[in-house]
Amino acid sequence: MKHSRGGTVTSEGTRAIHAGHPPGRPGGPFADGPVFASTFHMSGDPDGPYQYGRFANPTWTALETALADLEGAAAAVSFGSGMAAVSGALLALAQPGHTVVLPADGYPATRTVGAHLADRGVTVRHVRTDTAALAATVPDADLVWLETPSNPGLDVCDIPAIAELAHRHGALVAVDNTLATPLGQLPLVLGADLSVASGTKALTGHSDVLLGYVASADPALGDRIRAWRTMTGGIPGPMEAWLAHRSLATLHLRVDRQTQNATALAELLSAHPGVADVRYPGLPGDAAYALASRQMRRPGCIVVFTLPDADTAQRFLAALDLVAEATSFGGVHSIAERRGRWPGDDIPAGFVRFSAGCEDTPDLLADVTQALAKALG
């Protein structure tokens, strides 16, 4: 997708660098610093966007302008974390008597929010990330929440098909776009109403920021979610918003290298006799490959695979030199973990989620190769 900036047609990498920044002025900085104000000068009746620090902040505005540009959105609302964004969208939009469809195989904390919705009179249905299974539940739904690719299984569903069916029946569609980022997938362009993400992951990419956002195709939906954020106070810190905005400038460089590394890693693992069930949407032959190729521009940084048991997986993780054992993904540094150490996912004991970082590809593959040799004997 290309946009116009000052009369010049720009592609996504250029937009990632410039989005949300004002035109340059003589003697001015390339980027304004974070605004830390908790209150703003205001005479007479309330007027203008900046009145009190919980309502709005110029640093949020700059980030949200950039995110809306990259997502192809009418509005974007930033939050203090990915789960603040998820819960903000779900709790702001789901009303008693509504039916909400949530991923059965997605991020477990989203299902936890679903339990709170159920306590408040919302019917919650859990459906795996499968186009046909989801389509069967759409006619009775008010909100369909997709996670594609799913985390951690990396299954993919057809966003345009589900969105078209949902809209025909009067339902909204939200897509958790954390894994893909707006440079990997544009849910709103594909027909969804909301694109929701944890900016903690690949969007910021340095494992030093907690952030989330909701991008909306309809400004009225954005207003409802923004009002929820104002009421509940799930706001981002100005420094975190500023760091996130700064990080966008290298997003296209990072996701390109991560994709290169993840593809090479998936190929290596698929050819290894001691590794089973390798999944990566960018790998030809993967169950999700054909659909992912149609609706994703980059298949993401995560590769998952299964080793014989939990002990083997732990030996593999311990033997890695360049790869940290941690629970997140999308950073410039590669990390991996035995996902079964956390509750909530229906996966084998030796299941490994591997987030490919930005290391030189030969170095990363060499590290994985030696670790597999040590773990498998």
Side-chain angles (χ1 to χ4, degrees), residues 92-267:
L93 299 179
Q95 303 298 316
H98 280 183
T99 296
V100 174
V101 176
L102 296 180
D105 51 355
Y107 189 49
T110 301
R111 296 196 294 277
T112 301
V113 178
H116 287 277
L117 292 176
D119 289 340
R120 289 158 176 77
V122 176
T123 298
V124 178
R125 296 175 180 163
H126 298 108
V127 181
R128 69 186 187 280
T129 303
D130 174 82
T131 302
L134 286 160
T137 69
V138 165
D140 297 326
D142 296 281
L143 173 61
V144 181
W145 190 278
L146 309 178
E147 189 175 301
T148 177
S150 62
N151 174 26
L154 301 185
D155 285 315
V156 171
C157 61
D158 191 326
I159 297 173
I162 295 168
E164 191 278 331
L165 179 61
H167 293 159
R168 202 188 318 152
H169 290 276
L172 296 173
V173 174
V175 177
D176 187 326
N177 205 37
T178 301
L179 193 153
T181 82
L183 297 194
Q185 181 172 265
L186 288 170
L188 304 184
V189 174
L190 293 169
D193 301 284
L194 299 175
S195 178
V196 186
S198 169
T200 306
K201 311 299 193 296
L203 189 85
T204 54
H206 293 80
S207 300
D208 55 5
V209 172
L210 283 173
L211 194 95
Y213 71 89
V214 180
S216 171
D218 180 353
L221 282 178
D223 288 344
R224 288 176 63 182
I225 293 166
R226 191 179 302 276
W228 177 269
R229 183 189 67 181
T230 299
M231 180 179 69
T232 60
I235 59 176
M239 178 58 84
E240 286 78 5
W242 183 82
L243 285 170
H245 195 179
R246 186 185 70 165
S247 296
L248 292 181
T250 59
L251 179 59
H252 62 299
L253 303 174
R254 291 185 279 108
V255 295
D256 278 345
R257 173 55 73 87
Q258 289 168 337
T259 298
Q260 173 186 324
N261 280 344
T263 301
L265 175 65
E267 292 170 348

Side-chain angles (χ1 to χ4, degrees), residues 52-107:
Y52 182 65
R54 180 164 50 83
F55 302 165
N57 178 291
T59 311
W60 307 346
T61 300
L63 171 64
E64 291 167 356
T65 301
L67 292 171
D69 185 352
L70 295 180
E71 288 275 4
V77 184
S78 56
F79 285 83
S81 69
M83 280 310 301
V86 169
S87 59
L90 284 169
L91 293 168
L93 299 179
Q95 303 298 316
H98 280 183
T99 296
V100 174
V101 176
L102 296 180
D105 51 355
Y107 189 49

